[in-house]
Amino acid sequence: MRRMNKGLAALLALLLMVSIFATACGADKDQTTSGQKQNPVGQAAFPLKTDSKKVIAEYNGGKVTEGEFNLYLNILGFFQPQVSMMIQMPGMKQEIAKQYIGEMMVARQVGDSAEFQKKADETMKKLEEQAKQSLGNPKESFDQILRKAGITKPQLKDFIIRGEKVSAYFEKQIKPEQLKAEYDKSDQFYTVKANHILISVQDGKRSDADAKKRALEVKQKLEKGGDFAQLAKQYSDDPGSKNTGGLIEGKPGDFAPEFANAVKTLPLNKISDPVKTMYGYHIIKVTERKKQPFDQVKDEVKQMLLEKIYKEYLAKNVKVSKWNLPKEPQPPLPGSGMTGGQGQPAAPSQ
């Protein structure tokens, strides 16, 4: 779904555990030429069948069948379509299954409450309104929209109730002073504005040595008073920024690791030495770097802490004694022609 209320969005962020996905997928390898991340290509056919009674995991407290796990994936995929791509990655289903088991354990520990039912009813009502506006034909019922995703209303409501229990359980563990302490020590809440010129080494464009030499030449021109915008247009191999003066804006975490470290530490308005990333050599000038006010990012800090303690809970409490998950499909061999979703190489986003 493209739109959802703030509370549900935060809840899904917790349940989806994006940070775990990124770790398991090696997400830093899938980025654009300007250093920003993009999703991998390839996806599973959704909805998945939910009638299998095959046990795919046994853990301390119960079992998980293939059918109930596929239902969980269908619901996640309904809200976040990238799940259909993520589960193709080696080890990804196992990571998501651990999260599902963790949810089940927490929900049983929390128990039932009329408040959870009330919140779920409110969320279901909002989802129905949003789904009919953004997903389907106005004449389609919410039940029909869900059926296409392999879900029923009661199943979706159960998912939301369980998620509310998980969120409530971990939110109780966070104290106000923890939020401010986390904010003070974190470098996740800076925004930066910088100009960069990329000299690419990708696609055999030039050798590493030639790229570095060219980057040094660009640096010298800038230090002698050259116009950054003109030189970016002339030299930069980043199609997303070369015609806008090499302008890059965002949080350091949005960029490739080496680029992120540079924009966090470079003196303002100074021309950098060549910074090497997987794309080539960047000449960077950071023009603005500021930390977002605590009140503006308080919810993000809270979400970060929730994800942290959730991961700690999973590591400590979820003990799977037996796995029987289906094997992930093997990636195509080099030269097979299957280099992208439609047989074409995946191009960097502009």
Side-chain angles (χ1 to χ4, degrees):
M1 294 182 66
R2 291 183 177 85
R3 297 179 294 172
M4 64 186 71
N5 66 67
K6 185 176 180 181
L8 182 60
L11 175 62
L12 284 168
L14 176 63
L15 298 184
L16 285 167
M17 291 294 289
V18 175
S19 56
I20 287 182
F21 286 165
T23 300
C25 293
D28 283 335
K29 296 179 181 179
D30 295 299
Q31 299 169 335
T32 68
T33 53
S34 60
Q36 294 177 306
K37 300 173 183 177
Q38 66 182 29
N39 287 327
V41 177
Q43 60 183 41
F46 270 51
L48 303 171
K49 294 182 178 181
T50 61
D51 55 356
S52 173
K53 302 299 182 183
K54 172 186 172 184
V55 175
I56 60 168
E58 296 180 18
Y59 64 98
N60 48 322
K63 299 177 180 180
V64 179
T65 68
E66 184 175 35
E68 66 179 295
F69 182 54
N70 282 350
L71 172 62
Y72 182 70
L73 292 175
N74 283 346
I75 296 174
L76 293 184
F78 175 67
F79 289 108
Q80 299 287 355
Q82 65 264 38
V83 169
S84 64
M85 298 181 288
M86 290 174 175
I87 63 173
Q88 301 303 297
M89 303 296 177
M92 184 55 59
K93 282 186 178 180
Q94 189 174 98
E95 292 298 328
I96 300 176
K98 288 179 182 178
Q99 292 174 197
Y100 174 67
I101 291 169
E103 287 178 41
M104 299 296 288
M105 293 173 66
V106 170
R108 283 196 293 267
Q109 186 174 343
V110 171
D112 294 323
S113 165
E115 186 64 23
F116 296 134
Q117 293 282 342
K118 181 181 178 182
K119 287 183 178 180
D121 286 335
E122 292 171 353
T123 299
M124 287 290 290
K125 185 178 180 180
K126 292 176 182 178
L127 286 176
E128 184 165 358
E129 295 170 355
Q130 293 170 355
K132 293 184 73 173
Q133 291 174 8
S134 63
L135 285 181
N137 188 316
K139 295 181 180 180
E140 280 188 309
S141 69
F142 190 41
D143 293 275
Q144 289 173 315
I145 293 172
L146 292 178
R147 196 177 304 122
K148 289 181 180 179
I151 312 165
T152 66
K153 269 187 178 179
Q155 289 168 341
L156 180 58
K157 184 176 177 180
D158 286 345
F159 168 86
I160 294 170
I161 290 173
R162 189 172 66 242
E164 291 289 354
K165 291 179 180 181
V166 171
S167 184
Y169 177 83
F170 290 109
E171 283 189 15
K172 286 181 180 179
Q173 300 179 34
I174 297 178
K175 298 177 181 179
E177 57 268 25
Q178 286 179 282
L179 294 178
K180 187 61 167 63
E182 191 71 21
Y183 167 81
D184 289 339
K185 72 179 183 181
S186 176
D187 63 0
Q188 296 300 307
F189 305 106
Y190 283 92
T191 57
V192 296
K193 183 182 292 186
N195 302 94
H196 87 128
I197 295 172
L198 169 67
I199 309 300
S200 177
V201 295
Q202 292 190 321
D203 302 324
K205 194 174 185 73
R206 57 180 65 86
S207 70
D208 186 278
D210 287 342
K212 186 174 183 179
K213 180 180 178 181
R214 187 175 174 89
L216 287 169
E217 291 173 358
V218 170
K219 180 189 177 185
Q220 290 176 356
K221 290 178 181 290
L222 289 168
E223 289 178 333
K224 291 179 179 179
D227 182 77
F228 209 110
Q230 290 181 1
L231 290 172
K233 191 171 185 177
Q234 179 180 353
Y235 286 97
S236 185
D237 294 315
D238 178 14
S241 69
K242 66 177 298 177
N243 292 320
T244 57
L247 179 63
I248 294 290
E249 298 181 85
K251 297 178 182 179
D254 295 335
F255 308 121
E258 303 89 347
F259 194 98
N261 183 63
V263 296
K264 286 191 294 186
T265 58
L266 285 170
L268 293 180
N269 299 308
K270 299 292 184 181
I271 304 300
S272 75
D273 290 328
V275 175
K276 186 177 181 181
T277 70
M278 63 183 290
Y279 307 104
Y281 288 90
H282 306 254
I283 300 299
I284 306 168
K285 181 176 73 171
V286 179
T287 58
E288 181 179 284
R289 180 169 49 234
K290 59 183 180 181
K291 194 162 189 175
Q292 297 167 281
F294 175 67
D295 288 343
Q296 289 184 13
V297 297
K298 189 176 180 179
D299 288 342
E300 292 180 54
V301 178
K302 183 178 180 181
Q303 193 62 37
M304 189 169 68
L305 268 178
L306 283 172
E307 292 179 5
K308 180 180 178 180
I309 61 177
Y310 188 21
K311 283 192 287 186
E312 291 172 351
Y313 175 90
L314 295 179
K316 181 179 179 181
N317 296 285
V318 177
K319 307 298 181 184
V320 179
S321 58
K322 183 178 180 180
W323 287 108
N324 192 24
L325 281 165
K327 292 183 178 179
E328 289 89 355
Q330 295 299 308
L333 294 173
S336 66
M338 297 175 64
T339 52
Q342 302 297 325
Q344 298 294 328
S349 61
Q350 301 296 310

